[in-house]
Amino acid sequence: MTVSPHDDRYSAGLARMRELGGAETTDAFLASLEETAPDLGRYVAEFVYEDLYRRDGLDLCARQLATLATLVALGGCERQLSMHIGVALDVGVPQRAVVELFIHQSAYAGFPRALNAVAVAREVFAARGLLPGRNP
C-alpha cells in the first residue's frame, strides 16, 4: 500500500482509528494486512473511520452499540467484537448496556451468538478488571 503524506482522508481515518482503538491495536491490524491485502486496511481507515465515524446524526456510543449488534448478528467476528467492546467502554457505553445489548440480541441473532458475545465481553471485562471481585 502506497500512502502519500498528502493523503488527508487516509491520515484522518488512521488518526480516528488510533483514537478509538488505540495506536498499538491499529498498527497491529494494519501490519497484519500489509503482506496480503494492504488496500483493505486503507479502505477501513478511509471509509469506516473517516467517512462513517465522522458523520453527524449518531454519537460514538450509538455507533458502537450499532457495531456491536451487527457483529453479534453476523457471528464469527469475535476478534472484532472484542476490540469494539473495548472501544464502546472507552467512549462511555456502560458495561451493563453492553451486556443488555447481547441479551437483547438473543431474540434476533439467536442464543448461540448472544452467548458467544457474552463470553467475549467477559474476557474484555476481565482484562480491564471489571468483573465482580476484581479491582479495575
Side-chain angles (χ1 to χ4, degrees), residues 1-17:
M1 167 174 61
T2 303
V3 178
S4 163
H6 303 291
D7 191 339
D8 293 336
R9 191 164 163 247
Y10 177 76
S11 296
L14 182 60
R16 184 63 154 191
M17 284 177 74

Side-chain angles (χ1 to χ4, degrees), residues 24-69:
E24 185 176 316
T25 300
T26 297
D27 293 346
F29 166 72
L30 294 173
S32 75
L33 296 172
E34 191 59 40
E35 291 181 356
T36 53
D39 288 336
L40 185 56
R42 180 181 187 86
Y43 299 150
V44 170
E46 291 176 345
F47 179 66
V48 177
Y49 287 93
E50 176 56 13
D51 295 348
L52 294 181
Y53 268 79
R54 293 202 184 271
R55 290 182 55 84
D56 293 330
L58 292 175
D59 64 18
L60 288 175
C61 290
R63 287 186 192 285
Q64 283 310 119
L65 288 170
T67 300
L68 294 177

